[in-house]
Amino acid sequence: MGSLRGRTALVTGASRGIGRGIARRLAADGALVAVHYASNEEAAERTVAAIRDDGGRCFPVRAELGVDGDVGALFAAFDAGARGQGAGPELDILVNNAAVSISSRIADLRAEDFDRLIAVNTRAPLFVIQEALKRMGDGGRIVNISSAASRRALPRTLAYSMSKGAVDSLTRTLAEELGPRGITVNAVAPGFVETEMNSSRRATEEARSAIAALSAFDRIGRPEDIADIVAFLASDDSRWITGQYIDATGGSKL
Ligand code: NAP
């Protein structure tokens, strides 16, 4: 523990689910963590309280992504929050985690829903990285949360899968450009994880068992399962890994 002492991390979508798990783990490893959220202030406060109870350092950052002016608002809040903690504007670790999902086959997909999904899941991470790079020194870390859906044919999540496929391309391409600066860029792709995102798909015990059976470990993923992988990618120990898609599905459908 303590391997991230002196580093500042920004985790988008850290009020709930996987993002909360990642924020808690990075703070436990010693980073000062910006806990970003869109509108659920109560949930964000719960993440902040959990981190502080564990002796970690963090501050909340509110900004809705996928709308005009989103990146400017995010970094204005980040800079102010970091200053409030006596930290500089430097950002060492960026985790692009915030995303939304829609369940729709091609016949029912509406253009406005597609546009919003792409704005939140694909456009926002790209331009968040663009702005983050102005604050990131050599040796920085970028982790994009992708999804198993980007590499599997799941007709019910066509648009979501596309939005994450673009994140995978972003990851690989940027890793090439940022390698000379020692900045690594990797994607972590969870399968089913116990969060609110797809809770309706886990509504019955039967459905839960079927989802658990997808994994070689016969259980549904937990936010900590993903957070531990992200913590490794955020650490110095992962310096020789970049541009990669890390399957974090608990060995689903081997
Ligand atoms: P979640 O529980 O639904 O939480 C979503 C988080 O993102 C919340 O913090 C939310 O903030 C924030 N957010 C949502 N829309 C936003 C917007 N427009 N602007 C800013 N922030 C926004 O999600 P999750 O299940 O933890 O998923 C986290 C990541 O893992 C996502 O990238 C998702 O695609 C990926 N993933 C999840 C699963 C799974 O099974 N759960 C599987 C594969 C991949 P508020 O609290 O303020 O709303």
Side-chain angles (χ1 to χ4, degrees), residues 15-249:
S15 48
R16 298 183 276 122
I18 293 170
R20 172 183 284 167
I22 294 169
R24 291 189 68 175
R25 173 66 206 262
L26 298 185
D29 285 358
L32 169 65
V33 179
V35 173
H36 163 264
Y37 66 105
S39 59
N40 195 336
E41 194 170 348
E42 204 186 311
E45 284 304 329
R46 275 203 297 278
T47 304
V48 166
I51 289 174
R52 291 185 179 153
D53 285 351
D54 291 343
R57 297 173 66 220
C58 66
F59 57 92
V61 167
R62 179 178 188 147
E64 183 177 354
L65 298 175
V67 296
D68 285 347
D70 53 358
V71 176
L74 171 66
F75 280 96
F78 170 81
D79 290 341
R83 253 195 322 275
Q85 297 290 319
E90 293 83 16
L91 177 60
D92 305 290
I93 300 159
L94 168 66
V95 183
N96 274 310
N97 166 78
V100 288
S101 173
I102 51 175
S103 188
S104 192
R105 287 176 185 269
I106 189 163
D108 310 316
L109 188 59
R110 300 186 322 166
E112 56 268 38
D113 294 336
F114 179 81
D115 288 347
R116 176 174 146 70
L117 187 86
I118 295 296
V120 177
N121 293 9
T122 308
R123 193 186 71 181
L126 168 63
F127 289 102
V128 167
I129 292 173
Q130 184 187 62
E131 192 59 33
L133 284 172
K134 297 176 187 168
R135 292 161 177 77
M136 193 172 279
D138 291 359
R141 295 281 182 268
I142 298 171
V143 181
N144 298 319
I145 305 301
S146 178
S147 168
S150 73
R151 293 202 174 175
R152 290 166 174 84
L154 303 169
R156 271 191 302 187
T157 60
L158 171 65
Y160 175 76
S161 300
M162 289 174 68
S163 75
K164 294 296 189 177
V167 167
D168 297 346
S169 299
L170 168 67
T171 301
R172 204 163 40 247
T173 307
L174 264 182
E176 175 76 14
E177 179 165 347
L178 299 177
R181 291 177 54 190
I183 297 176
T184 67
V185 191
N186 289 293
V188 172
F192 279 98
V193 180
E194 294 267 15
T195 73
E196 287 167 36
M197 181 169 275
N198 50 32
S199 53
S200 60
R201 303 267 295 275
R202 294 181 264 110
T204 64
E205 264 317 307
E206 206 180 350
R208 291 183 61 82
S209 299
I211 290 171
L214 293 173
S215 158
F217 303 118
D218 196 21
R219 69 167 173 82
I220 301 176
R222 304 178 191 116
E224 309 84 76
D225 296 325
I226 312 304
D228 290 351
I229 297 166
V230 173
F232 168 66
L233 292 172
S235 75
D236 289 339
D237 287 350
S238 68
R239 63 192 172 279
W240 204 234
I241 299 174
T242 196
Q244 299 306 303
Y245 171 99
I246 313 290
D247 182 294
T249 65

